């Protein structure tokens, strides 16, 4: 597999090297440093089918408008909603979620109703972002690890002014082709950082995002310029905290001392099977303390706004540890008959209960309505976000003058544009070259690339000397040496894969790699599948294929893995390159032969009612008849 | 997939229902209750190829010899080795491991050298077993979760008198066809309970074994007869403790209050990449306390024998919590130049260092030598083990008189023999039956089977109401209601699968099932693969296949999983049924067609030097030439 990994590395990096179509077509004034800010994100990735085209191109004219120059944090904190307006804003979030789930008759209203207060405080008072450029490099990152509650995030993106989630998008929740699929998908919705839903992935992604920030800050910040400086916030639920992947990633976050990672544990005592008492009675906060985290408990997450604010302030003051804020909430808060029960977890409330909830929370408005004062309050994020970015741009211009070489390197990571001629650094092999183990050749390539690809960073799940993945010119990324590039993941394959997804999606110039024995892809398939689906571009260095392992025996000998892994990664390729649709990969070809026709699936699915998907994918009575008649 | 699961359930149970060939051929005097004791184990499972045939048939003549009737625990404790003999016994274990790894030039000597003291105390002083009948029902179970250290277990089985590991087997360590493969494999070596190696699996198996004991004890014990009464011991290392699966399973063990689970954490500070400081600085004991475990720290595991003994005594006194005994050891203890370093973790010491270690520990003997006094000391386990079993048999005879119905049910679980006519309980469907969702039909079958299959027990990873897996006539298996049969696993797929492996391998009559959405097999593939490899016979109820899920979107829609999963489970079938070898399953058939020949792998591998395996599997230059010439 090592040979494959090298090929994959080359291909992954090559795909990022040239200017992307969008970038090439950009007007001249957007090149240079403007390119850095406006194209930092999906713009430099491979093109997607029309329905998936990201709305990444921020309005440059808007950014040329006069901007508010006030220092950002103080501005945000000084303008916090209070009293009635605050309650109204929080209830707006709740009802946008209730209404969208009700209209779709599908989804999870309970979490948004319970987490609306912390969501409001994060997006309205705490986080720094520019809604008109979701890919601004120095933005705070937010991850909804409990991805089923995605209407919380869509409501917040909508209020904050993101163009990706307009009113019509909320009304299209979970429908074919919408920007608001059933779980957060970064490739669908600008403003969504990573793809979550399978529980535990998101918190591990958040660890990767926070690692990326700590690494870049250590490499590029100067005593007179903190050019990299953002937080990573995450909301995770009981389900995430039960998953082993979360423990793996959080153990590493504690080990690395990721002080700018702040996770909110939505402690609502309800999972799909009922009260968490039936399966989850551990002391979560004590566990996180054992993992090296700072922990805080907000006992009333339903309307203890000041407690939430104070907890975030305290979390920021602890700079050498990540913080878990356990926020006790009521799932489905406000629903008189369904709050605090599993029935509000994953189903629409039903029109009667929606009405009862409107009465209970004093919400006289029609569905999807955003009161004018709430709208007006949130509208400031557009100019303030532009100001935040403009401030940072000015800061970067100063930085570039003083530290031109570092600025060039940082730009490469921010934009994903590789230095010219990078591929020349690769070792050359000829038929006359001495034979060698593929994993040794892999290491030669990784080491050659590390010199010219500034975002290449990674490591192994405790098998570095077997996988041959050490970058010899660098030390270990550790708590006190975060500028280094060898990451020691320990024996934590699943967490490793998901952390690498987070690193990859932090900035387009990151090229994370991770390694283990090929058979242990069994432990991290969940993360690998999301790498493929979300185009995270992680390089998997998987060594020790097949019975060639010898003595370690059948538990260590991968037999079925190459085909299975190819299938997973090919799904995304198939979705993008129809020329491949007839290939290496599915079950019926053997029987139907080259001239046969199969009606089936050869790509990932999508979010929509089932009937609609069958129709869009051509799995219908009509298509079967047509295929039969065509012979 | 639910439809498949029903079929799987039927097939799994049917395979256990009839007497196995070995059982059918047993002499008459071994039937009845003798059958219960002598065949409790692999004997009632499907037959294996010759090299894998288990040596399960205990010598009944030996069991008819006069037996030592002294109460077992007191006898064992009263005969503990002390002083020089103790050191000699522990060093015997160390050198058997050193010598076997040296002869194979492959393996992991470090763990056995460090863990020999706790291994000695467990097998010589604490555990109750009958070496001449490794499948005696009421034995204590031992799991080496750090499976790479398997020479520790082989050395102990050898000293204890198990027929599966004789001197010649130790000399065949990691060789083709031996009983001493590179990681512990239950299907190769009687005395090995489960198959470990992939880290974290074993501790989760141990949780399943302890669950099984607690469940049976609650169902069958009477105020005047504790007919089910054994402990489950486990040794796990740093690697196991880093894996998420271990946290999942241990969270459940704490939740369930598995007081008879005692786990030894070999705290040796070394993993393959070096000192655990580089990736693992959490407070493991504090984490386990947060999970609801009792914890003890033995600071000197290298020769603090009394501390180890005291810790086990304390652990047994805590009956409502599992116990983690952290035992700080020196990996490779005794090796003057390699102890406490990664170099002793996974490689032979080398002849020079073996010699230096012999000098250092004062070991003048030739390789594989067991001193006479050590041999003599351990020899008592054969009569004492027979006595333990005979005592229990007598106890069971009493039990059977007083509680004939319970005795019959317990026998069924112990032997795996199902009640006559059990299959008649299954619901009947005809073409006229009303259509229904397959998961509903699955639930009807599970509920019908639960009435007649006494060992059917299981549940879902927090999706019981979606997977339709609740047994309606039973309550929840919980800390205070362990006699019930609905297991609530929480959102812990990987732990669930491995716990079910442990339940299945506790007694042949257990038929555990577990459930989740099909896409989340990605989270537990590691455990599923071991189910197949180790013939654990777990039923996987996997619902919600393909894009039919609709709104949840691509993260929840399995596309590649059916083929991939079939491949994993088919590997074991292929190994057993050569008629299937030409089928449904591998990559080249499409290109070579029905009349082509492929040289490749179509089954799990085995433990032996690579060249030998290639030869045995027919992947050689000669076979390629022969195939080409045959056209």
């Amino acid at each position: 597999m090592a040979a494959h990994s090298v090929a994959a590395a080359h291909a992954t990096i090559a795909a990022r090297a040239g200017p992307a179509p969008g970038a090439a077509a950009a007007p001249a004034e957007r090149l240079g440093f403007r390119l850095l800010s406006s194209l930092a994100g999906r713009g430099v990735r491979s093109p997607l089918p029309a329905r998936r085209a990201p709305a990444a191109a921020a309005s440059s004219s808007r950014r040329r408008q006069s901007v508010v120059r006030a220092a950002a944090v103080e501005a945000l904190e000084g303008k916090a909603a209070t009293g009635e307006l605050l309650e109204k804003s929080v209830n707006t979030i709740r009802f946008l979620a209730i209404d969208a789930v009700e209209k779709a008759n599908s989804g999870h209203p309970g979490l948004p109703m319970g987490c609306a207060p912390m969501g409001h405080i994060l997006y309205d008072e705490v986080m720094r972002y520019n809604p008109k450029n979701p890919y601004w490099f120095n933005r705070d990152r937010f991850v909804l690890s409990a991805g089923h509650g995605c209407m919380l995030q869509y409501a917040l993106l909508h209020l904050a002014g993101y163009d990706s989630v307009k009113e019509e998008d909320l009304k299209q929740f979970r429908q074919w082709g919408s920007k608001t699929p059933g779980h957060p998908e970064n490739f669908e919705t600008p403003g969504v950082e990573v793809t979550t839903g399978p529980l535990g992935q998101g918190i591990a992604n958040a660890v990767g995002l926070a690692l990326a920030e700590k690494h870049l800050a250590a490499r590029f910040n100067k005593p007179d310029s903190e050019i990299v400086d953002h937080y990573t916030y995450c909301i995770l639920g009981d389900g995430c905290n039960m998953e082993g992947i979360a423990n793996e990633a959080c153990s590493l976050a504690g080990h690395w001392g990721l002080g700018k990672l702040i996770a909110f544990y939505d402690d609502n005592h309800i999972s799909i099977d009922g009260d968490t008492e039936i399966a989850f009675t551990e002391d979560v906060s004590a566990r996180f303390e054992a993992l090296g985290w700072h922990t805080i408990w907000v006992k009333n997450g339903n309307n203890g706004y000041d407690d939430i604010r104070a907890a975030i302030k305290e979390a920021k003051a602890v700079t050498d540890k990540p913080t878990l804020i356990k926020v006790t909430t009521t799932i489905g808060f406000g629903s008189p008959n369904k709050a605090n029960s599993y029935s509000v977890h994953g189903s629409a409330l039903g029109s009667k209960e929606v009405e009862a909830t409107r009465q209970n929370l004093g919400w006289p408005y029609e569905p999807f309505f955003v009161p004018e004062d709430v709208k007006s309050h949130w509208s400031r994020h557009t100019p303030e976000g532009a100001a935040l970015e403009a401030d940072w741009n000015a800061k970067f211009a100063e930085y570039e003058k003083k530290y031109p070489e570092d600025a060039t390197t940082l730009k490469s990571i921010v934009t994903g544009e590789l230095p010219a001629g990078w591929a020349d650094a690769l070792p050359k092999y000829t038929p006359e070259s001495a034979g060698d183990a593929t994993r040794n050749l892999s290491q030669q390539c990784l080491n050659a690339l590390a010199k010219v690809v500034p975002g290449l960073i990674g490591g192994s799940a405790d098998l570095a000397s077997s996988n041959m993945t050490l970058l010899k010119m660098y030390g270990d990324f550790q708590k006190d040496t975060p500028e280094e590039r060898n990451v020691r993941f320990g024996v934590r394959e699943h967490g490793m894969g998901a952390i690498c997804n987070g690193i990859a999606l932090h900035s387009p110039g990151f090229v994370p790699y991770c390694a283990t024995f090929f058979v242990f892809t069994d432990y991290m398939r969940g993360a690998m599948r999301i790498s493929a689906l979300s185009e995270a571009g992680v390089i998997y260095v998987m060594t020790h294929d097949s019975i060639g392992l010898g003595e370690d025996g059948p538990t260590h000998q991968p037999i079925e893995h190459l085909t299975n892994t190819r299938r997973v990664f090919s799904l995304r390729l198939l979705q993008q390159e129809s020329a491949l649709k007839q290939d290496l990969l599915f079950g019926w070809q053997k029987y139907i032969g080259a001239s046969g026709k199969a009606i089936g699936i050869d790509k990932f699915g999508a979010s929509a009612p089932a009937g609609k998907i069958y129709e869009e994918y051509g799995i219908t009575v009509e298509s079967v008849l047509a295929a039969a008649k065509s012979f």
Side-chain angles (χ1 to χ4, degrees), chain A:
Chain A
M1 189 67 177
H4 302 289
S5 74
V6 175
H10 200 138
T12 302
I13 294 167
R16 296 164 182 240
E29 76 265 32
R30 288 178 56 202
L31 296 179
F33 184 60
R34 289 196 187 278
L35 182 71
L36 178 67
S37 59
S38 63
L39 295 182
R42 297 288 75 71
V44 295
R45 292 180 181 271
S46 54
L48 295 165
R51 74 176 280 265
R52 296 181 184 275
S59 159
S60 60
S61 65
R62 187 182 293 271
R63 265 186 281 109
R64 283 195 298 267
Q65 289 171 0
S66 66
V67 289
V68 181
R69 292 279 173 188
V73 193
E74 292 72 13
L76 291 175
E77 286 178 354
K79 290 174 186 173
T82 55
E84 197 185 331
L85 178 61
L86 174 58
E87 285 291 343
K88 223 171 178 179
S89 172
V90 168
N91 281 335
T92 301
I93 298 164
R94 290 192 175 115
F95 279 96
L96 287 178
I98 290 170
D99 295 337
V101 172
E102 199 64 21
K103 185 167 189 298
N105 193 26
S106 172
H108 299 71
L111 183 144
M113 293 165 76
C115 291
M118 66 181 104
H120 168 92
I121 289 174
L122 275 176
Y123 270 79
D124 190 50
E125 300 176 18
V126 173
M127 281 171 56
R128 304 194 214 180
Y129 55 87
N130 179 4
K132 300 306 175 191
N133 179 13
Y135 302 111
W136 170 45
F137 165 72
N138 202 40
R139 69 194 180 275
D140 287 336
R141 268 69 170 176
F142 174 78
V143 174
L144 185 65
S145 190
H148 52 276
C150 55
M151 264 311 305
L152 173 73
Q153 193 170 7
Y154 299 148
L156 292 166
L157 292 174
H158 176 62
L159 291 176
Y162 283 77
D163 293 327
S164 50
V165 189
K166 295 188 177 299
E167 184 180 338
E168 55 267 30
D169 298 302
L170 294 174
K171 290 178 174 169
Q172 288 297 305
F173 178 54
R174 291 187 158 225
Q175 304 307 304
W176 178 264
S178 82
K179 292 279 171 217
T180 49
H183 291 83
E185 296 169 357
N186 64 302
F187 50 92
E188 291 287 9
T189 317
V192 170
E193 304 286 353
V194 295
T195 293
T196 61
L199 294 175
Q201 297 290 334
I203 179 64
N205 297 160
V207 172
L209 290 165
L211 178 156
E213 195 272 349
K214 182 167 174 135
H215 173 70
L216 293 182
R219 270 173 79 178
F220 295 104
N221 286 354
K222 306 292 176 186
D224 63 350
S225 180
E226 291 201 12
I227 198 67
V228 183
D229 176 26
H230 73 77
Y231 285 86
T232 301
Y233 299 96
C234 179
I235 294 180
L236 72 166
D238 290 302
C240 293
N241 267 331
M242 289 190 243
E243 291 284 9
I245 183 178
N247 194 71
E248 291 180 7
C250 291
S251 177
L252 283 170
H255 173 74
W256 290 325
L258 300 179
K260 289 164 91 173
L261 171 61
I262 300 177
F264 296 78
Y265 163 34
D266 176 29
D267 169 50
N268 66 29
H269 291 284
I270 296 292
S271 65
I272 290 175
D273 273 356
D275 195 296
T276 52
E277 278 292 316
I278 66 174
F280 190 50
T281 49
E282 64 174 62
D283 182 337
V284 176
S285 294
R287 172 158 63 89
F288 273 77
E289 279 164 26
L291 299 180
W293 287 52
H294 180 65
T295 71
I296 304 169
W297 184 12
V298 172
K299 293 183 183 174
N300 173 11
N302 296 326
N303 42 38
Y305 302 105
D306 285 341
D307 293 343
I308 296 172
R309 290 173 179 130
I312 296 170
K313 197 169 178 181
E314 180 181 330
K316 287 187 172 183
V318 177
T319 58
D320 62 342
K321 290 179 175 185
T323 294
L324 182 84
I325 305 174
K326 169 172 148 175
V327 188
T328 299
T329 68
T330 302
I331 192 170
F333 179 86
S335 161
N337 304 301
K338 296 193 171 182
N340 198 30
S341 81
Y342 71 91
S343 64
V344 77
H345 185 289
S347 309
L349 290 177
S351 59
K352 205 172 147 188
E353 188 64 12
V354 170
E355 192 47 43
T357 307
R358 280 185 147 67
Q359 291 287 333
N360 190 41
L361 292 178
W363 196 254
Y365 310 109
E366 66 197 27
F368 297 101
F369 185 77
V370 179
E372 274 309 316
D373 48 352
V374 172
K375 202 177 282 183
S376 163
H377 175 75
W378 281 82
S379 69
R380 76 189 193 288
H381 288 287
T382 294
E384 286 180 0
L388 285 167
E389 180 169 348
D391 278 354
W392 188 81
N393 286 353
K395 193 171 174 176
F396 188 86
E398 285 296 308
Y399 182 92
E400 199 167 22
K401 275 184 212 156
K402 286 191 191 167
Y403 311 104
E405 281 187 30
D406 284 319
T408 301
T409 308
L410 178 56
K411 261 191 200 177
S412 171
I413 292 174
V414 170
T415 64
E417 287 184 86
L418 296 178
W422 64 271
D424 297 336
L426 282 168
K428 308 280 183 296
Y429 303 105
T430 69
E432 288 71 38
S433 302
D436 201 351
T438 49
R439 57 186 170 140
N440 291 336
L441 300 174
S442 168
Q443 187 170 42
Q444 290 170 17
C445 291
L446 284 174
N447 275 271
L449 289 171
K451 291 179 192 156
V452 289
V453 178
L456 191 79
I457 180 172
S460 163
D462 197 44
L463 289 166
S465 54
S466 292
N467 302 136
M468 304 303 287
T469 48
L470 278 183
L471 303 179
K472 294 177 183 173
M473 70 292 277
Y474 295 113
D476 286 356
F477 173 91
Q478 293 287 358
K479 186 174 184 173
D480 297 324
T481 53
E483 71 281 9
E484 300 289 352
R485 286 157 71 179
N486 285 301
V487 185
R488 303 292 197 162
F489 289 102
V491 192
R492 303 181 182 93
E493 297 82 4
H494 204 179
M496 173 173 74
I499 287 170
C500 284
N501 284 339
I503 298 172
L505 294 172
H506 182 280
S507 294
F510 268 118
V511 184
Y513 66 91
C514 64
T516 183
F517 285 165
F518 195 18
V519 79
F520 298 132
T521 52
D522 281 349
Y523 275 48
M524 64 171 173
R525 191 160 292 277
M528 294 173 81
R529 191 174 201 261
I530 289 186
S531 294
L533 179 64
S534 67
E535 303 185 312
V538 175
I539 297 173
Y540 288 92
V541 182
M542 304 288 110
T543 69
H544 296 73
D545 192 14
S546 198
I547 54 172
L549 263 79
E551 291 88 344
D552 276 342
T555 55
H556 284 54
Q557 295 165 348
I559 302 302
E560 71 278 22
H561 298 71
L562 186 59
T563 314
N564 287 359
T565 302
R566 279 184 176 155
R567 179 172 288 115
V568 174
F569 284 100
S570 300
L571 284 167
R572 194 60 173 169
L573 286 175
L574 283 168
Q575 203 140 333
Q576 292 178 10
E577 301 180 35
S578 60
L580 288 174
K581 280 196 178 175
Q582 298 308 316
D583 198 2
L584 232 166
L585 297 169
F586 294 92
W588 293 104
Q589 281 83 349
K590 178 185 167 191
Y591 304 99
I592 62 175
S595 60
K597 291 196 179 185
I599 310 294
I601 307 285
D602 57 1
K603 56 184 173 181
F604 279 116
S607 173
K612 180 65 178 171
I613 308 183
Y614 279 118
E615 188 186 306
E616 290 288 338
Y617 279 46
I619 305 177
T620 61
V621 172
E622 288 75 15
S623 60
V624 173
L625 287 175
K629 285 179 181 169
S630 73
F631 286 110

